[in-house]
Each structure stands twice: as structure tokens, then as C-alpha cells.
Amino acid sequence: MASLLSKNFPVSKFAAAISRPAKRSLSSLKEAYVYHPKQETLEADLQALLWTKTQTLDKYPQSFTQVRNGLELDRFQSLISPTILSSRVYEMKEVKMKHKNKPRDRTNGSHKNFPISLMLNLFKMSLTHAAEYPHLHNLHLSLEPFISAGWSCGEDRMTVRGKVDMVLNTQQPLEQFYNTETIQRSVDFDFNSLQNTLTFADLKKHQVNNTFSTGAVDTSPAHYPHAHTLIVLDNGSYIEPPSKGVPEIQLVQKGLIFTFGRLYAQAVSKYGEEMIGQDLPTPECAQCIVTNGQRFSFLWYQLNTLKTDSLNEGVKNLVYIDRAGMLYPSVESKGVFKKSIADMNNHVLRTLISMFIA
């Protein structure tokens, strides 16, 4: 990647391209199916693959496996319980009820923003180990960035747009997840096995501009031009009824679609409009963390092509999805004031920490 940027796409030119106004209108209004952050669809896991011409794989990227296996987990184990407890139990937020008929918040606000606080604290916890993992200094965290991209989906058009929870941008791109051989094998992948899927069920068509935004804030693109990790959160299960949590499959769909859209916009910023409808000279890669603060799923997405008008022709985009499960089952009380985390799942914890230091 470094040689590619220095020879054909200088870093300064790439940074300047992403530093332009986030919304870049490439055409007049066009009718497209719109996917937004609060969207839920009937067959979320299958529809997401069809919309983005994505093949699922069954293993971690090799580069991530090396990071994960080499992680000295004991450095973080003593910090993780206080990090969770400070977010879930001890950080309080004043809750003002606007309507008399609205159910009373029996948590007194302590859980209302728990997943947001947790991910912020986990990121700060990881930064305390920057001496051992100096590339942590290359990360930039943005809250509620706007992401937008539009693309051909067979004979129709799709667009993704809206504010997501958090993104990490980085000075240097992530190492390519899957090699050329794996990419070429994807040519033989056949989407006909998903032919009975209701592709656009629950989506609505609107007249929209074909705009592109990577989610990078105005002050960061020149220094942090590359996507690193998208963080998708849900705190519904911590709010009293009638609010309830979003099904995990819907959150994973949201993570996949917005990661694809983010990388698509990044590729257009880097290579220009003429790259639309073509295979990329070098893949764009990014991670995604999906959580309600207790249950975690992880995604590794590799964008290989912007040629999405035909599903079965050419190389496919690639993703590995690890629906890892619960980081811990519950918080236990010890005495009147003291709390503790029960049965920490080190498998999930190792993957989670490795996402930050990859």
C-alpha cells in the first residue's frame, strides 16, 4: 500500500481528497433504495451480502490471527473488570422525564449510555499500553460520524447514509486481510444459492444525491485518512420498557453495510470517480465491533471491487463475521456496595482487545 500511494497516489493527494467536504455530489438526484442506521429488514444476514456483493469466509485474517495469538492478555485482565463496572454501575446520568405517561427510568440513568461509555473506556484502557503497541498513537476516535455512499445493486441502486456510533481512523492502512489467491477464488462464488432471498424487502426508494462521506471529521482526514474500526452500539436492553434491544442480526447487518459504505467512499476519494464499476488495484480493509455492552460480534471486511451491478461476475468483496457471544454473563454484588464481574470470557476479551491493537 505504501508503495502504491507514493508512486501513483501520493499521501498528500489522498489526504487532500478526503479532506474535501464530506458530501460529494457526483450526479443529479437518482432513485435508490435507502438504508439508514435505524433500518431493520426481514432477512438481514442474507440481504446485506446481496446488496454489497459480499462473500462470507470462515476464518480470521492471517494478520489479525498473529496479533490475537501474540497478545499478552494478562496485561489487560486486571483492568477490564474496573473498566466495565465504571461504565455499567458507577457512571450515572441525570434522567429528566419529558412526559408524565412515559415509563419511569428505574435505573436512574446508570445504564442509559453504558455501551457508549464502555467502548470509550476500553479505548482509553488500550491507550495505556501504547508503549508496547506504539501504533495506538496512530488512531483517532470520532463520535457519531456521517457515512454515505451510493452504488449499483444489480439493475437497481442502493445508498447507505446516516450517523453511526463511533469510528476509529488511522494514519496507516490496516494490512490486507486476504491474499490475491483468496480474492481470485471468490470469482467462483455463486450468489444463486441466495436467489430466494427477498433482496429489497423493508427498504424504500427515495430520490437522493449520490454523495460520499467516509465519516472522517474536518480536522482529522489529513492525518488519519484510513478506516480502522467501525463501532455499532445498542443500549436498548438497558432501558425500561417499552424500549428494547435491537436483535443482534440487525446490528451485524448495520455494521456490514456501513463498513462497506465507508470503504466505498474511501476508495472513491482515493482513486476518483472513474474507479466506480471497477475492481480496486489494492483492497480497502476495515474492522467492525458490534455490541450491546455485554454481547459482542466482530467483522473483518475487505473491499475488492466497486463493480456491483452484476453479482456473479468477477471477484467478490469478502467478510469474516465472528458472533463471539457474551463477554460476561452478569454483574454480582459482594456486600452492600462492591460489585464484581462473573465469569469473564477470555476468548471474547482477547478478540476485543486485539481489535484495538491490530
Side-chain angles (χ1 to χ4, degrees), residues 13-40:
K13 181 179 178 181
F14 177 31
I18 297 186
S19 298
R20 296 186 189 117
K23 299 180 181 180
R24 301 176 62 239
S25 180
L26 302 182
S27 65
S28 59
L29 290 176
K30 291 184 178 180
E31 189 175 57
Y33 287 102
V34 178
Y35 183 88
H36 55 80
K38 294 185 179 180
Q39 184 74 56
E40 294 185 27

Side-chain angles (χ1 to χ4, degrees), residues 102-118:
K102 185 176 180 180
R104 186 165 65 91
D105 182 359
R106 302 181 188 279
T107 68
N108 295 320
S110 59
H111 297 163
K112 193 172 184 66
N113 288 322
F114 156 58
I116 299 173
S117 173
L118 174 65

Side-chain angles (χ1 to χ4, degrees), residues 293-345:
Q294 193 170 358
R295 180 179 296 277
F296 284 81
S297 292
F298 307 101
L299 292 81
W300 292 264
Y301 197 94
Q302 180 166 304
L303 184 71
N304 299 315
T305 182
L306 305 188
K307 183 177 174 56
T308 54
D309 56 343
S310 176
L311 284 179
N312 286 321
E313 293 183 7
V315 301
K316 315 303 189 292
N317 298 311
L318 303 172
V319 68
Y320 173 59
I321 303 173
D322 178 11
R323 297 178 69 170
M326 304 287 279
L327 178 60
Y328 61 93
S330 62
V331 175
E332 297 181 347
S333 297
K334 290 190 174 182
V336 179
F337 300 106
K338 192 173 182 180
K339 307 282 186 180
S340 66
I341 301 297
D343 301 325
M344 187 71 65
N345 186 328

Side-chain angles (χ1 to χ4, degrees), residues 8 12 33 102 129 133 145 151 180 184 205 207 236 296 300:
N8 299 320
S12 58
Y33 287 102
K102 185 176 180 180
H129 293 77
Y133 306 101
W151 63 95
T180 302
Q184 288 304 312
K205 278 188 173 181
Q207 294 289 332
F296 284 81
W300 292 264

Side-chain angles (χ1 to χ4, degrees), residues 43-237:
E43 298 179 279
D45 52 342
L46 302 181
Q47 289 168 303
L49 303 179
L50 294 173
W51 295 340
T52 58
K53 194 178 180 179
T54 301
Q55 175 188 355
T56 57
L57 300 180
D58 58 1
K59 61 181 179 179
Y60 294 113
Q62 182 61 35
S63 57
F64 181 81
T65 299
Q66 293 174 351
V67 172
R68 189 181 184 280
N69 292 344
L71 177 68
E72 297 183 23
L73 191 60
D74 55 348
R75 295 183 178 183
F76 299 90
Q77 286 176 318
S78 62
L79 300 174
I80 187 64
S81 290
T83 297
I84 295 172
L85 290 173
S86 66
S87 299
R88 179 165 178 172
V89 179
Y90 302 119
E91 290 188 6
M92 308 292 286
K93 177 181 178 181
E94 182 182 359
V95 177
K96 296 181 180 180
M97 311 309 293
K98 295 182 179 179
H99 306 287
K100 291 182 179 180
N101 60 351
K102 185 176 180 180
R104 186 165 65 91
D105 182 359
R106 302 181 188 279
T107 68
N108 295 320
S110 59
H111 297 163
K112 193 172 184 66
N113 288 322
F114 156 58
I116 299 173
S117 173
L118 174 65
M119 296 311 297
L120 290 173
N121 286 345
L122 284 171
F123 181 57
K124 289 187 288 185
M125 182 192 76
S126 300
L127 289 177
T128 63
H129 293 77
E132 295 88 355
Y133 306 101
H135 51 280
L136 285 168
H137 290 302
N138 298 333
L139 298 180
H140 178 273
L141 179 65
S142 297
L143 301 179
E144 295 189 338
F146 179 82
I147 294 175
S148 177
W151 63 95
S152 297
C153 184
E155 297 180 354
D156 292 285
R157 287 196 61 79
M158 278 282 301
T159 183
V160 59
R161 58 187 59 214
K163 292 184 178 181
V164 292
D165 299 291
M166 301 178 185
V167 296
L168 284 172
N169 295 311
T170 178
Q171 292 179 356
Q172 300 296 326
L174 289 169
E175 185 176 338
Q176 183 172 323
F177 290 159
Y178 299 104
N179 59 26
T180 302
E181 181 181 352
T182 304
I183 296 172
Q184 288 304 312
R185 283 202 303 268
S186 73
V187 172
D188 300 324
F189 181 77
D190 190 348
F191 281 97
N192 287 334
S193 61
L194 307 180
Q195 62 183 353
N196 293 325
T197 302
L198 300 174
T199 307
F200 299 108
D202 299 317
L203 295 184
K204 294 182 179 180
K205 278 188 173 181
H206 297 277
Q207 294 289 332
V208 295
N209 275 320
N210 198 26
T211 59
F212 293 87
S213 171
T214 64
V217 297
D218 293 340
T219 57
S220 68
H223 302 290
Y224 306 93
H226 304 282
H228 187 279
T229 302
L230 175 73
I231 301 174
V232 174
L233 305 175
D234 174 54
N235 66 353
S237 60

